[in-house]
């Protein structure tokens, strides 16, 4: 009776183990390899969603960082780091578009996650992620010739060839091109690989380990008493069971590290957005200040110029008083200085105003110039930075004095 009971326990344990492994294989999360070109990988993702109908889906992506040599590029290391960080952020934001596609196809947002890595070779990066995450279901896309029929698709995916050669045998891989299944590499469940359970299975696994401790101790005691009854097949099954649970523990640790890395990346992205906002606000504050300083410096320069011109006119008038004026001198003295004339109307200005190009115009004439559809300087023919006019008070005073003297 004792021998029958012991045999029944072992057979029942083996049956439970096989059933749990089969359930884990069915609930394996689906990984879809996508690129930053959404139009290229959209059909691959859609095929996976509609044909496999996964409960949990991971967007698998390998980012290839751009290589910049500080010596040849002339950039500082900090500038290179900023460029690479910006590329990484842009790549991650593109991956969020795939999540929106999954939601449209009926997958809950919390059931879509991202598996991300950095590598110079995409194929090597995918294989590394397969081992790290114990991936059992992987869908990859292949470039296809649109002129061929669906039954004669031209496979041009070197990455698929590399991954199928180096991935573990327990990983099943589908190759999809133009939204059609091209090839399937069946996964083989043997001692070289084991199913990767979902997060719920990993949680239950911890409780199962705790529950099995008394039973394992009891079985260990029975093995000590009836070691002769243990066949090589039983010993192999127990070894495989130990290896299975050990792999699940490792998978749980890898999953926790991946979640932490993703949280750190999200925090870094939010930090970068905050810094960018601060810089934009600071720029918005500094620009008006710099424009105001420029206006003050320009007004001071104009005052100095007018004062020099006034002194020059006084010197000319004093020298002219010592000699009889000729008809030519009288005609010249009645002519207004050229800087009193508007460049547009060629008449003495009444309301001289400084435009964005630094030249002074009659305010009404320049407004009419702008209202007629011009956005360039009448003097330089370059585009004006703005349409604001600043009254030239020193020049207006000088023109007023000259008009009074010659009225």
């Amino acid at each position: 009776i004792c021998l029958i009971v012991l045999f029944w326990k072992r057979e029942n344990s083996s049956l439970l183990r096989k059933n749990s492994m089969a359930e884990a294989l069915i609930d394996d999360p689906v990984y879809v390899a996508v690129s930053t070109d959404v139009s290229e990988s959209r059909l691959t993702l859609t095929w996976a969603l509609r044909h496999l109908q996964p409960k949990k889906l991971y967007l698998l992506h390998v980012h290839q960082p751009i290589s910049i040599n500080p010596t040849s590029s002339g950039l500082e290391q900090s500038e290179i780091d900023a460029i690479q960080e910006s590329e990484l952020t842009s790549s991650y934001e593109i991956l969020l578009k795939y999540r929106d596609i999954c939601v449209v196809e009926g997958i809950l947002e919390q059931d879509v996650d991202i598996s991300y890595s950095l590598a110079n070779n995409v194929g090597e990066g995918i294989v590394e992620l397969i081992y790290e995450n114990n991936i059992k279901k992987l869908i990859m896309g292949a470039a296809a010739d649109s002129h061929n029929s669906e039954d004669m698709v031209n496979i041009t995916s070197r990455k698929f060839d590399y991954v199928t050669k180096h991935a573990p045998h327990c990983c099943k891989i589908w190759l999809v091109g133009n939204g059609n299944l091209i090839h399937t590499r069946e996964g083989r469940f043997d001692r070289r690989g084991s199913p990767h359970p979902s997060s719920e299975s990993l949680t239950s696994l911890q409780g199962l380990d705790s529950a099995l401790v008394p039973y394992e101790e009891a079985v260990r005691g029975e093995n000590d008493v009836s070691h002769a009854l243990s066949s090589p097949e039983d010993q192999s099954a127990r070894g495989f069971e130990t290896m299975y649970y050990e792999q699940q523990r490792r998978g749980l640790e890898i999953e926790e590290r991946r979640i932490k890395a993703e949280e750190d990346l999200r925090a870094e992205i939010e930090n970068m957005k905050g810094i960018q906002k601060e810089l934009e606000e600071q720029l918005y504050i500094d620009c008006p200040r710099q424009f105001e300083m420029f206006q003050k410096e320009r007004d001071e320069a104009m005052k100095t110029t007018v004062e020099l011109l006034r002194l020059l006119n006084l010197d000319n008038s004093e020298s002219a008083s010592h000699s009889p004026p000729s008809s030519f001198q009288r005609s010249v003295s009645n002519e207004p200085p050229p800087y009193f004339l508007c460049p547009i109307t060629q008449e003495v200005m009444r309301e001289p105003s400084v435009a964005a190009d630094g030249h002074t115009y009659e305010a009404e004439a320049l407004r009419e110039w702008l209202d007629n559809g011009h956005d360039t300087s009448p003097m330089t023919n370059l585009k004006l930075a703005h349409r604001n006019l600043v009254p030239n008070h020193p020049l207006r005073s000088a023109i007023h004095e000259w008009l009074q003297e010659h009225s």
Side-chain angles (χ1 to χ4, degrees):
I1 294 175
C2 292
L3 292 177
I4 293 175
V5 170
L6 179 60
F7 177 77
W8 178 84
K9 283 184 178 181
R10 288 176 179 171
E11 290 297 321
N12 190 39
S13 175
S14 177
L15 180 60
L16 290 174
R17 181 168 61 252
K18 291 179 181 178
N19 290 337
S20 64
M21 290 178 181
E23 292 175 358
L25 185 60
I26 295 174
D27 294 336
D28 278 336
V30 174
Y31 288 75
V32 181
V34 295
S35 67
T36 53
D37 187 352
V38 179
S39 61
E40 176 183 318
S41 300
R42 178 190 294 270
L43 293 177
T44 303
L45 177 60
T46 305
W47 184 92
L49 294 173
R50 295 178 180 177
H51 288 78
L52 300 184
Q53 299 179 352
K55 296 181 180 179
K56 181 71 176 179
L57 185 136
Y58 285 87
L59 300 169
L60 185 147
H61 178 71
V62 178
H63 178 72
Q64 293 177 286
I66 57 176
S67 178
I68 303 177
N69 191 322
T71 304
S72 59
S73 64
L75 299 175
E76 298 291 338
Q77 186 61 43
S78 58
E79 295 175 324
I80 296 176
D81 294 341
I83 293 174
Q84 293 177 339
E85 188 71 22
S86 176
E87 287 288 328
L88 183 63
T89 303
S90 300
S91 177
Y92 188 83
E93 290 177 351
I94 291 175
L95 293 179
L96 297 181
K97 297 180 181 179
Y98 290 108
R99 178 178 290 177
D100 297 336
I101 295 175
C102 296
V103 173
V104 171
E105 291 291 332
I107 304 296
L108 297 178
E109 184 174 352
Q110 59 266 28
D111 292 334
V112 182
D113 216 330
I114 296 174
S115 184
Y116 202 92
S117 74
L118 301 177
N120 293 324
N121 183 281
V122 176
E124 293 177 359
I126 292 177
V127 172
E128 183 178 353
L129 286 173
I130 291 175
Y131 279 99
E132 286 183 357
N133 297 281
N134 201 14
I135 297 175
K136 295 298 176 292
K137 296 179 180 179
L138 173 65
I139 296 90
M140 298 180 62
D145 188 352
S146 59
H147 298 289
N148 295 333
S149 65
E150 294 183 2
D151 297 332
M152 299 182 65
V153 179
N154 183 25
I155 300 176
T156 60
S157 178
R158 295 182 179 179
K159 294 187 288 292
F160 177 78
D161 295 337
Y162 180 88
V163 172
T164 53
K165 290 179 181 178
H166 297 84
H169 296 282
C170 55
C171 180
K172 183 176 182 178
I173 306 175
W174 291 264
L175 180 63
V176 178
N178 264 357
N180 299 295
L181 180 63
I182 298 173
H183 182 70
T184 303
R185 194 203 79 163
E186 294 293 340
R188 189 167 70 246
F189 184 79
D190 54 19
R191 298 187 183 184
R192 285 172 289 183
S194 61
H196 178 70
S198 61
S199 57
E200 292 81 0
S201 300
L202 293 175
T203 304
S204 62
L205 176 64
Q206 294 177 327
L208 181 61
D209 282 343
S210 301
L212 287 176
V213 170
Y215 172 74
E216 290 176 352
E217 292 179 353
V219 171
R220 190 181 303 113
E222 293 176 357
N223 290 339
D224 294 339
V225 176
S226 57
H227 179 72
L229 298 176
S230 299
S231 64
E233 290 77 8
D234 292 335
Q235 295 177 1
S236 176
R238 286 195 297 272
F240 180 71
E241 182 180 15
T242 302
M243 182 177 63
Y244 169 75
Y245 285 114
E246 181 63 26
Q247 287 184 349
Q248 304 318 306
R249 291 190 184 94
R250 292 179 182 177
L252 179 61
E253 293 175 357
I254 293 172
E255 177 71 9
E256 291 175 351
R257 289 198 297 268
R258 186 196 61 77
I259 293 175
K260 185 177 183 304
E262 183 177 344
E263 291 176 351
D264 294 342
L265 180 60
R266 291 179 184 271
E268 185 64 23
I269 292 174
E270 293 299 325
N271 185 38
M272 291 180 62
K273 290 181 178 178
I275 293 175
Q276 181 181 1
K277 185 177 180 181
E278 293 178 0
L279 291 175
E280 291 176 352
E281 293 176 351
Q282 188 65 31
L283 183 63
Y284 179 78
I285 295 172
D286 290 343
C287 282
R289 291 178 180 175
Q290 293 178 358
F291 180 72
E292 184 179 353
M293 291 175 59
F294 169 74
Q295 286 182 324
K296 290 181 179 179
E297 292 176 357
R298 184 178 57 192
D299 291 343
E300 292 294 332
M302 287 190 295
K303 289 180 182 179
T304 304
T305 303
V306 172
E307 182 65 22
L308 291 174
L309 291 173
R310 188 181 66 81
L311 295 175
L312 181 60
N313 290 333
L314 289 176
D315 292 340
N316 291 336
S317 62
E318 289 177 358
S319 61
S321 64
H322 293 84
S323 60
S326 64
S327 61
F328 175 75
Q329 289 174 329
R330 285 194 296 271
S331 64
V332 171
S333 62
N334 289 328
E335 293 293 330
Y339 48 85
F340 284 3
L341 303 179
C342 174
I344 298 176
T345 64
Q346 294 300 315
E347 297 178 356
V348 177
M349 293 179 286
R350 302 293 179 176
E351 294 293 335
S353 300
V354 181
D357 60 357
H359 294 280
T360 301
Y361 305 89
E362 177 65 46
E364 186 63 29
L366 186 59
R367 289 193 186 98
E368 184 177 353
W369 168 272
L370 295 174
D371 292 340
N372 288 335
H374 298 91
D375 60 352
T376 58
S377 166
M379 294 292 290
T380 64
N381 203 30
L382 298 176
K383 187 173 182 179
L384 296 172
H386 55 80
R387 298 167 61 96
N388 300 330
L389 297 178
V390 180
N392 193 336
H393 296 294
L395 184 57
R396 184 175 181 276
S397 300
I399 293 174
H400 184 68
E401 292 178 3
W402 184 87
L403 290 174
Q404 287 181 344
E405 292 175 358
H406 295 79
S407 60

